[in-house]
Structure formats: structure tokens, C-alpha cells
């Protein structure tokens, strides 16, 4: 099976991880701050907090921004469930903003309309979570302008987008948001096995997220309610979690970061190759907004039933049966049973639902060969035109 995504671990990565295994720290040692420094510097962010997943990063980002019961968080319905679940962890309410049918990102016009209506009802969101779908940056300038006008905070879910650029600057630099979150799950751009990171230029948010990542415990006398009882002393000053990344994982992350730019260029080259090979087929290829430079986590095509003789499900099945690991990113979150129980229903976000009926992720990862790509194209051509 040619999978839709796959990590690359080199002999050098393995050596770097093995080295850590014979050192003094497997967790809470020097590798985590080193990884944070490298990612923070790469992105041009002042603070970076490594955690054990992007889901954890989203959770502590929401808490650091003060999200709680009675508050609202809005995100895109075309995302992994974690972008919405983080609000529910905090006891807040979730709602969605429909997507732009060209970029598949949260649509700023839809956002503005929803904000106008929400203001009248006194239900404005405290946080909006734009998701850089497939690695393509959202229209952050427009979203930030609305944030200033309507008073919401912004968490970029950049799980797909490390190494991408917006307005020629790295995603994660915090110019258009309060916090940016990355994922290092193996299918993403770089990996630590499981892992994530939250980046921010606000030192107070950084301090709060650092506390929340590790039980709400501090050893910093400046943060304590009274002077330390002694050298052994620590204080729990908030209710936090164990969301720490290990030194073993961080060592892998440090090693992977050396290839980030190469990875993104390779993904662009592969996407360009798909673009050329698929040009004459009855499908929609990924459209790229000129303001962004995607990290190309995913190559999503849209298949339109009226242009072919098979159904979407038939094409999907044919490809899977012949060893092509196509996938669907994502099932609209509001249509999941858990969210339907919260009151969402089919028809709520028509662009997202139309996208769901047509979208197919083709295999895209740095080690895919041209022969494998050709096989994907040949079988897809057969499925769409025979
Ligand atoms: C992968 C992903 C997440 C969750 O990442 P984990 O590191 O697995 O917790 C969140 N949001 C999006 C958009 C993702 O693709």
C-alpha cells in the first residue's frame, strides 16, 4: 500500500536519539529547551513551549487565554476534531465558520457575517482558531482585523503548516495571532513520534502555558505565594497536566528540524508534479493563494460526480483495493455524532459539506518515488475516465 502520508527517520536521526538514551535525562533535560529554541528561532517567535501533542498545545493555549464556561470558541468544520475539542475541555462552547471553497480554510467573509449576528445576540467568541488546512496559511490579515474589531483572540492551528510562509514570513512568528500550535505526529511535516508545540510572543501566555504543561507546579520563587521553605520547595499554583515532551522525542525533533526546508521544497516539487500529471483529468487540483507558501502537508483533489461515471465511494474503493492509500481530510466536525448531540446538523455549513462529498487526499510524503506517484496517477486516471 502506498500510504497517504509517511514520516522519514534517517540513520542520523536514530543516532541522535540513541545518544540521549545513554545520557542523564530521558525527560526534563536539555533536549526539550534546545528543540524549543530551534523551532522558536526558525519561526521568529519569542517563546516556544513543547508538549506531548498538538491537542495538548491547543488545550493549554485555550486555558492560557482564559477560555472557560460561558465562553465561545469558533473554528473551521474542515479540521481534525482536536481544533474544536479543546474548547469543550475548558467547558466552553464551540461553533464553526464555513470554509472558503477555494482554499478550504475558514472563510473571513463567513466569519464577519457570523460575528455581526453574534454581536447582536451577545454571543461573540473569545477565541477563533483558524486552521491552515493542507499547510496553506489562512487569510490571517483579514482574521486579525476582525479580531481587533470584535475583541477575540486567535490561536493558529498550524498542525499542517510548520515550514510554511504567510506574506513571506514563517508561519508561527505570531504577527497575526496570539498563539500558534504545531503537531509533530508522524504524518505531519516533521515528527517526534507524538508531540506538539505552542509559540507566542507574549511572555505571560508563555509562562502560563509552561505551568499548565507540568501540573501547574513552579520552582520560580517570583511566582510563589511566599518565600520558598527551602531548597526542596516547589508550589502548585494552578491546576495543570502532565503534557510534557520527553528528551528522547525532543532529540528526534531537533534532528528532524535540520531537514525542514528540504522537506517543504520536496513537497512542493511533488505537488507540482501531481499538478502536471493530473492537468487533463476531470478533477479540481489544489488552488494556492498568492499570499501564502504552503507547507503542503496534504495534496487534496476534488472529484465531482457530475463529471465522471463512478461515484466518489467507488473511486475511493477502487484506489484502496489497488494499493493506493487515498484518504479523506476531513469529515466535517459538526457532523460527528458527538457534535450532533450538541445540536449541530447537516446543512449547517454547506461549503464544508460539499467539500466532504468531493475531497480526496492523494499520497504525499518526502520519500514517495516518482514511480509510486505515477502509479497513483495511472490508477486515478483509470478510475475517473474508464
Ligand atoms: C494532527 C492535527 C491535530 C492534532 O495533533 P496531535 O499532535 O495528534 O494531537 C490538530 N489539528 C489538526 C489540524 C491536525 O491535523
Amino acid at each position: 500500500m502506498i500510504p497517504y502520508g509517511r514520516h522519514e527517520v534517517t540513520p542520523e536521526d536514530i543516532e541522535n536519539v540513541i545518544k540521549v538514551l545513554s545520557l542523564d535525562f530521558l525527560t526534563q533535560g536539555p533536549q526539550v529547551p534546545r528543540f524549543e529554541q530551534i523551532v522558536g528561532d526558525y519561526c521568529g517567535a519569542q517563546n516556544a513551549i513543547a508538549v506531548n501533542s498538538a491537542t495538548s498545545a491547543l488545550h493549554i493555549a485555550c486555558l492560557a487565554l482564559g477560555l472557560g464556561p460561558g465562553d465561545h470558541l469558533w473554528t473551521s468544520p474542515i479540521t481534525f476534531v482536536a481544533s474544536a475539542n479543546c474548547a469543550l475541555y475548558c467547558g466552553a462552547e464551540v461553533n464553526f465558520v464555513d470554509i472558503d471553497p477555494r482554499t478550504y480554510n475558514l472563510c473571513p467573509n463567513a466569519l464577519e457575517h457570523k460575528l455581526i449576528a453574534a454581536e447582536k445576540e451577545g454571543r461573540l467568541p473569545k477565541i477563533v482558531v483558524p486552521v491552515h488546512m493542507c499547510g496553506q496559511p489562512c487569510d490571517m490579515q483579514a482574521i486579525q482585523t476582525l479580531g481587533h474589531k470584535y475583541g477575540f483572540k486567535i490561536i493558529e492551528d498550524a498542525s499542517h503548516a510548520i515550514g510554511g510562509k504567510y506574506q513571506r514570513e514563517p508561519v508561527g512568528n505570531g504577527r497575526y495571532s496570539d498563539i500558534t500550535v504545531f503537531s509533530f505526529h508522524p504524518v505531519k511535516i516533521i515528527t517526534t513520534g507524538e508531540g506538539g508545540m505552542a509559540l507566542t510572543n507574549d511572555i505571560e501566555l508563555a509562562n502560563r502555558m509552561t505551568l499548565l504543561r507540568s501540573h501547574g507546579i513552579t520552582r520560580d520563587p517570583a511566582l510563589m505565594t511566599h518565600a520558598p521553605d527551602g531548597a526542596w520547595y516547589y508550589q502548585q499554583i494552578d491546576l495543570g497536566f502532565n503534557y510534557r515532551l520527553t528528551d528522547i522525542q525532543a532529540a528526534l525533533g531537533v534532528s528532524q528540524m535540520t531537514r525542514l526546508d528540504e522537506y517543504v521544497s520536496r513537497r512542493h516539487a511533488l505537488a507540482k508534479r501531481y499538478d502536471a500529471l493530473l492537468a487533463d483529468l476531470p478533477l479540481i487540483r489544489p488552488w494556492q493563494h498568492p499570499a501564502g507558501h504552503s507547507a503542503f502537508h496534504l495534496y487534496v483533489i476534488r472529484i465531482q460526480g457530475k463529471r465522471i461515471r463512478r461515484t466518489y465511494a467507488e473511486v475511493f474503493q477502487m484506489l484502496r483495493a489497488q494499493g493506493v492509500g487515498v484518504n479523506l481530510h476531513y469529515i466535517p466536525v459538526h457532523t460527528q455524532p458527538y457534535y450532533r448531540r450538541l445540536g449541530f446538523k447537516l446543512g449547517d455549513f454547506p461549503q464544508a459539506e460539499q467539500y466532504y462529498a468531493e475531497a480526496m487526499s492523494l499520497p504525499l510524503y518526502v520519500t514517495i518515488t516518482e514511480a509510486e506517484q505515477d502509479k497513483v496517477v495511472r490508477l486515478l486516471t483509470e478510475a475517473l475516465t474508464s
Side-chain angles (χ1 to χ4, degrees):
M1 177 74 79
I2 304 171
Y4 86 83
R6 191 180 150 69
H7 61 271
E8 180 195 49
V9 172
T10 64
E12 198 188 7
D13 287 341
I14 294 171
E15 221 175 280
N16 288 327
V17 171
I18 287 174
K19 261 189 237 153
V20 170
L21 289 170
S22 52
L23 296 178
D24 290 338
F25 297 94
L26 298 184
T27 192
Q28 295 182 279
Q31 298 302 323
V32 168
R34 190 169 161 223
F35 184 37
E36 291 171 335
Q37 184 78 44
I38 288 169
V39 176
D41 287 351
Y42 179 92
C43 295
Q46 281 161 31
N47 309 278
I49 296 101
V51 287
N52 58 359
S53 72
T55 304
S56 302
L58 286 164
H59 184 192
I60 61 173
C62 287
L63 288 173
L65 288 168
L67 193 74
D71 292 330
H72 300 262
L73 176 149
W74 294 359
T75 188
S76 167
I78 297 300
T79 185
F80 186 58
V81 291
S83 322
N85 287 346
C86 57
L88 304 180
Y89 297 157
C90 302
E93 282 184 47
V94 178
N95 213 325
F96 301 93
V97 179
D98 211 348
I99 59 167
D100 178 326
R102 291 177 308 170
T103 60
Y104 318 142
N105 283 331
L106 181 151
C107 172
N109 291 334
L111 175 61
E112 184 164 23
H113 283 121
K114 201 175 172 91
L115 287 164
I116 291 167
E119 190 176 37
K120 288 187 189 132
E121 297 166 15
R123 293 166 59 88
L124 282 171
K126 184 171 216 162
I127 298 175
V128 171
V129 181
V131 180
H132 303 317
M133 184 62 193
C134 305
Q136 167 153 248
C138 295
D139 186 348
M140 292 309 301
Q141 223 163 353
I143 295 168
Q144 186 188 48
T145 301
L146 291 169
H148 289 151
K149 184 164 176 200
Y150 291 94
F152 58 79
K153 303 288 185 186
I154 301 170
I155 302 172
E156 292 174 67
D157 184 343
S159 292
H160 299 183
I162 190 169
K165 290 192 173 71
Y166 178 67
Q167 310 278 28
R168 299 178 183 280
E169 291 178 357
V171 169
N173 70 359
R175 194 184 285 283
Y176 300 97
S177 65
D178 298 280
I179 298 170
T180 302
V181 166
F182 294 136
S183 171
F184 308 126
H185 182 279
V187 295
K188 307 291 164 73
I189 309 289
I190 63 159
T191 190
T192 59
E194 296 278 2
M197 203 174 281
L199 281 71
T200 180
N201 293 324
D202 182 325
I203 186 67
E204 279 182 28
L205 291 176
N207 288 341
R208 245 177 282 163
M209 290 193 286
T210 303
L211 261 183
L212 291 166
R213 150 176 87 176
S214 197
H215 308 281
I217 284 174
T218 185
R219 290 179 183 276
D220 179 357
L223 298 175
M224 292 182 189
T225 54
H226 57 78
D229 295 350
W232 63 86
Y233 198 64
Y234 61 82
Q235 267 190 354
Q236 185 190 342
I237 58 173
D238 204 341
L239 183 62
F241 310 88
N242 181 351
Y243 280 171
R244 294 186 303 259
L245 193 73
T246 66
D247 267 37
I248 306 165
Q249 294 169 304
L252 181 55
V254 167
S255 196
Q256 294 251 318
M257 273 302 284
T258 61
R259 301 193 299 281
L260 176 56
D261 286 337
E262 193 187 304
Y263 277 179
V264 173
S265 318
R266 170 87 180 134
R267 286 174 174 277
H268 271 268
L270 291 166
K272 216 169 148 190
R273 196 156 181 277
Y274 269 140
D275 281 345
L277 295 170
L278 301 175
D280 297 328
L281 289 182
L283 53 79
I284 299 174
R285 287 171 282 137
W287 182 78
Q288 299 299 299
H289 195 289
H293 182 71
S294 179
F296 259 115
H297 166 52
L298 297 172
Y299 189 91
V300 172
I301 57 167
R302 290 179 72 157
I303 292 170
Q304 296 176 302
K306 58 179 190 290
R307 297 170 67 185
I308 59 174
R309 269 183 288 160
R310 291 195 170 84
T311 65
Y312 176 95
E314 285 165 353
V315 172
F316 195 97
Q317 262 313 106
M318 269 180 84
L319 290 167
R320 279 280 181 95
Q322 295 175 98
V324 176
V326 286
N327 219 314
L328 208 177
H329 301 92
Y330 292 93
I331 304 162
V333 179
H334 70 282
T335 68
Q336 294 288 356
Y338 188 86
Y339 281 85
R340 292 204 195 202
R341 267 184 263 145
L342 298 177
F344 295 101
K345 55 187 191 310
L346 270 187
D348 283 350
F349 304 100
Q351 292 294 349
E353 291 166 27
Q354 185 64 32
Y355 167 89
Y356 173 56
E358 302 174 353
M360 196 178 284
S361 307
L362 300 185
L364 183 71
Y365 48 92
V366 294
T367 55
I368 195 172
T369 63
E370 291 199 352
E372 286 168 326
Q373 234 189 346
D374 291 342
K375 180 180 169 187
V376 172
V377 171
R378 178 168 50 78
L379 293 173
L380 181 63
T381 306
E382 230 171 79
L384 293 180
T385 59
S386 71

